[in-house]
Amino acid sequence: MNEFLSEEIPFNDIPHDEFLAIKICKGLRPTISNDIPKLLADLIIKCWDAEIENRPTIKELYQILKEWYYNNNQNSEIYSQIKKYDKTREEKFKTRSNEDKFESIKIHPQAIYTSRLLSFKNLPEPVNSSDLSSFQVNSDDVPSVSETLSKYNH
C-alpha cells in the first residue's frame, strides 16, 4: 500500500542482504510520505507491526476498506483525506513528468525485488520502529485503525 501510494520503491538504494534483514528486524521500515492520508498511513503502520497477532487479518482489512468505501461521503474523514491527497498529487504531477520520476530512481545493484528464499541465521527478534518521526500520527478527532479494528476482533 505504501509503495503504491508513495510511488517509492522501498529500500531501493541499499543492498538486499543480511544487514538489511537485521535492520528490518530491529525496526527499520520504509518512510511513509507526508501526503499519504493519515488513516491509510495508520493502517500501513498496523500492517508492519513486528508482532504478527497485532497485524490486521485479511478479513479485518477487507472490513476496514469496505467500511471506508461505503462511508466515503463528503462528510467522512477518509473522503476529506483522500481529496487532500489527490490535490497534492495533482500539483506534484504538474511540476514533473512520469519520465523524470522514473529516470531519477536509482536502484542499487544488490536490491532484488523478486521472491526468493532467504536463509539468514541468527536474526534478532523483530521489533517495531523506534523512529516514530517517520510515521504519521492520527489526530485525536480521527478514529484510529486500532479503534476500527477492535470492532472486528472476536
Side-chain angles (χ1 to χ4, degrees), residues 2 5-6 29-46 48 77-78 81-82 84-85 88 92 129 131-140 142 144-145:
N2 187 54
L5 293 170
S6 68
R29 301 293 185 267
T31 301
I32 296 176
S33 175
N34 288 335
D35 59 347
I36 291 179
K38 289 182 186 296
L39 287 170
L40 293 175
D42 191 31
L43 185 56
I44 291 167
I45 293 166
K46 192 78 173 160
W48 286 345
E77 185 61 32
I78 192 70
Q81 288 183 19
I82 289 174
K84 183 179 176 185
Y85 170 77
T88 303
K92 279 184 183 179
S129 175
D131 178 20
L132 296 178
S133 64
S134 66
F135 296 147
Q136 295 186 5
V137 179
N138 282 336
S139 61
D140 293 336
V142 178
S144 71
V145 170

Side-chain angles (χ1 to χ4, degrees), residues 85-97:
Y85 170 77
D86 286 344
K87 185 176 180 181
T88 303
R89 286 180 49 88
E90 196 174 288
E91 290 170 9
K92 279 184 183 179
F93 281 118
K94 286 180 185 175
T95 60
R96 67 167 166 78
S97 70

Side-chain angles (χ1 to χ4, degrees), residues 6 9 24 60 68 102 116 154:
S6 68
I9 300 170
I24 291 170
E60 292 166 339
W68 286 348
F102 294 119
R116 63 197 164 129
H154 303 348

Side-chain angles (χ1 to χ4, degrees), residues 68 71-81:
W68 286 348
N71 293 328
N72 190 13
N73 60 53
Q74 292 183 352
N75 296 324
S76 72
E77 185 61 32
I78 192 70
Y79 178 87
S80 63
Q81 288 183 19

Side-chain angles (χ1 to χ4, degrees), residues 11-69:
F11 312 121
N12 67 303
D13 56 347
I14 56 177
H16 292 186
D17 56 13
E18 187 172 2
F19 296 110
L20 176 59
I22 290 168
K23 288 178 183 178
I24 291 170
C25 287
K26 290 185 174 187
L28 178 67
R29 301 293 185 267
T31 301
I32 296 176
S33 175
N34 288 335
D35 59 347
I36 291 179
K38 289 182 186 296
L39 287 170
L40 293 175
D42 191 31
L43 185 56
I44 291 167
I45 293 166
K46 192 78 173 160
C47 290
W48 286 345
D49 198 293
E51 298 293 328
I52 294 171
E53 60 274 1
N54 293 337
R55 298 178 203 153
T57 65
I58 192 68
K59 182 179 179 181
E60 292 166 339
L61 284 172
Y62 173 77
Q63 292 294 338
I64 290 167
L65 296 172
K66 183 173 125 181
E67 182 177 310
W68 286 348
Y69 178 79

